[in-house]
Amino acid sequence: MFDAIVVGARCAGAPTAMLLARAGHRVLLLDRGEFPSDTISTHVIHQPGVAALARWGLLDELRATGCPPLRRARYRVADVRLDGCGRGVAGQRTGFAPRRFVLDDLLARAAVAAGAELREKCRVTGLLHDADGRVVGVRGDHRGVEFTERASLVIGADGMRSSVAAKAGAACTTSDERLTCAYYSYWTGVPADLEIYETPGSWVATAPTHGHATLVLTYFPQSRFRSVRADAQRAHLDRVRETAPELRERLQSGEQVERLRGSGDQQNFFREAAGPGWALVGDAGHHKDSITARGISDAFTQAEALARHVSGELDSPGRLDVALRRFAAERDAALTSGYEATLAVARMAPPNEHRLALLRAVQQDAELTSTYFDAFAGSVDITALYTPKLLDLLNHGAS
């Protein structure tokens, strides 16, 4: 009998298991894959996520892997040129964009070090229920051997297409249409910062990652997915050439070192966060377009919130249900603003004159530029930009 079973051992599940194990709970962590292994990702950990790694004592481990820090950000749209960095969170001003076979392995090992039991190559085939319908465990297959395990809480951290969510009957409470499709490649010999280039209907970004490589991401409207997929490599490079000519020049002196990856299934939803004996964290409970790269940082936030609410309550179904309701309310309050902001970006609409005027004012002031990059990272709400200084600059520009 476990206190908690966590299904999915990547950037949502592994931290959840680690934090619960550190709190003294007996935790079983299950994953379909083996570690280290890769998964599709935008890679970026914004400053809120970096601050979480620091709190957990894992930031130095990530640095030791050779992952380059993202110390500077650049944003290009129309005639606007923003260059700088955010003020950060809890003293963490840099971001990181680690390869997922590095990050996920680091997190899974941290969960094991905390006392969680990790079973790899393990597929959950069903949930166990008591007579009242409460989830009390899982059925599964581990390397060809069927098993059942019981726990006070089953946590689905198994991604956007979560089997735990499906088997628990977790309903979508918010759902929006898919807005973009995304493709990315890795290049050596291409120096870059965290860079974002925007034109109407187009978005291109870069981030340095492991192996002295630079990640290059391109975004297209969802309506173009079929045509882009027909020749994704060509569409990817054409998008860079059209949207970010200065980046395209750098790519010509570099080398693409791995195959192109991408997805047209960028769903936007909130599912119910929890129910009797079960909870969802990470993409299993909430997913949004990857264009703002909030997924990893948001997964860390949810892991901390769930562990904080349920620790010490796993021996009482009544108290646990209260704790899960509190977690659900906190999750929605914490992530709704970022969800709405991400959908606005993912629509890739032409920038209107009001927005361009605001950005022109922001680029005149280093402090406002830092606030803008904090808002992009999810450290503050975009309303933090509307200071007397910004209003003065806008009024001055209007005159």
Side-chain angles (χ1 to χ4, degrees):
M1 177 75 178
F2 291 89
D3 295 318
I5 297 173
V6 183
V7 182
R10 293 190 181 272
C11 62
T16 303
M18 176 193 71
L19 294 168
L20 288 174
R22 286 181 178 180
H25 295 293
R26 188 178 180 216
V27 182
L28 175 62
L29 180 60
L30 309 175
D31 200 275
R32 293 173 63 99
E34 290 182 294
F35 295 94
S37 59
D38 210 356
T39 189
I40 195 165
S41 176
T42 54
H43 298 47
V44 175
I45 310 175
H46 290 299
Q47 287 84 348
V50 175
L53 290 173
R55 286 192 296 274
W56 304 339
L58 301 178
L59 182 54
D60 286 344
E61 286 192 39
L62 178 61
R63 289 192 178 110
T65 67
C67 187
L70 308 178
R71 293 194 174 95
R72 188 173 188 85
R74 301 179 180 181
Y75 175 48
R76 306 286 187 260
V77 57
D79 61 335
V80 173
R81 300 290 184 268
L82 297 183
D83 294 87
C85 66
R87 291 168 295 184
V89 176
Q92 304 298 331
R93 299 192 68 184
T94 60
F96 291 87
R99 292 296 299 263
R100 290 294 297 274
F101 58 77
V102 176
L103 175 66
D104 295 350
D105 185 57
L106 185 156
L107 294 171
R109 286 189 289 103
V112 172
E117 178 184 335
L118 172 63
R119 295 183 193 171
E120 301 167 87
K121 302 293 287 184
C122 188
R123 183 171 60 93
V124 169
T125 57
L127 301 179
L128 305 179
H129 297 82
D130 66 12
D132 297 322
R134 185 180 192 86
V135 173
V136 293
V138 303
R139 291 190 303 273
D141 180 285
H142 183 216
R143 301 182 186 274
V145 178
E146 294 184 358
F147 70 90
T148 61
E149 295 288 2
R150 301 177 73 86
S152 300
L153 179 64
V154 174
I155 300 166
D158 49 341
M160 183 176 69
R161 303 174 189 85
S162 170
S163 64
V164 173
K167 292 175 182 7
C172 276
T173 57
T174 298
S175 180
D176 289 275
E177 65 179 339
R178 294 169 178 83
L179 294 170
T180 77
C181 53
Y183 287 87
Y184 62 91
S185 54
Y186 301 96
W187 296 74
T188 56
V190 180
D193 296 305
L194 177 60
E195 300 173 20
I196 301 160
Y197 302 85
E198 179 187 353
T199 60
S202 178
W203 185 277
V204 172
T206 67
T209 187
H210 282 99
H212 305 287
T214 291
L215 176 72
V216 177
L217 302 104
T218 55
Y219 284 81
F220 305 80
Q222 173 67 206
S223 60
R224 288 198 56 197
F225 178 51
R226 288 189 177 182
S227 63
V228 168
R229 184 174 56 177
D231 192 345
Q233 178 73 17
R234 179 176 179 178
H236 177 66
L237 294 178
D238 284 349
R239 176 108 312 181
V240 174
R241 176 177 52 80
E242 296 161 359
T243 305
E246 62 188 84
L247 173 61
R248 178 56 177 158
E249 289 182 11
R250 276 180 277 161
L251 294 188
Q252 289 176 346
S253 61
E255 178 185 4
Q256 185 175 338
V257 292
E258 296 185 29
R259 67 177 178 85
L260 188 72
R261 294 172 171 87
S263 174
D265 190 17
Q266 302 230 82
Q267 298 178 34
N268 298 296
F269 63 78
F270 281 87
R271 290 189 179 115
E272 291 176 300
W278 61 269
L280 303 175
V281 291
D283 290 348
H286 163 60
H287 190 275
K288 54 185 173 288
D289 197 287
S290 66
I291 198 165
T292 53
R294 298 275 188 92
I296 297 175
S297 297
D298 285 353
F300 291 175
T301 295
Q302 293 173 65
E304 286 192 319
L306 181 61
R308 183 177 68 253
H309 282 288
V310 305
S311 290
E313 311 295 349
L314 292 169
D315 59 348
S316 167
R319 293 200 312 271
L320 177 57
D321 287 347
V322 172
L324 290 174
R325 287 194 291 270
R326 289 173 176 163
F327 160 68
E330 180 177 326
R331 183 203 70 171
D332 290 353
L335 300 182
T336 295
S337 175
Y339 177 76
E340 293 171 348
T342 295
L343 294 191
V345 173
R347 291 185 179 98
M348 296 190 290
N352 58 46
E353 278 307 311
H354 172 75
R355 179 171 168 237
L356 288 175
L358 183 147
L359 291 171
R360 290 177 188 125
V362 168
Q363 75 179 347
Q364 296 178 53
D365 184 85
E367 183 178 351
L368 289 171
T369 297
S370 290
T371 302
Y372 181 86
F373 285 127
D374 278 335
F376 182 77
S379 305
V380 300
D381 190 80
I382 192 65
T383 56
L385 269 179
Y386 289 88
T387 63
K389 181 184 291 186
L390 177 65
L391 296 177
D392 286 344
L393 288 168
L394 286 170
N395 290 333
H396 180 74
S399 62

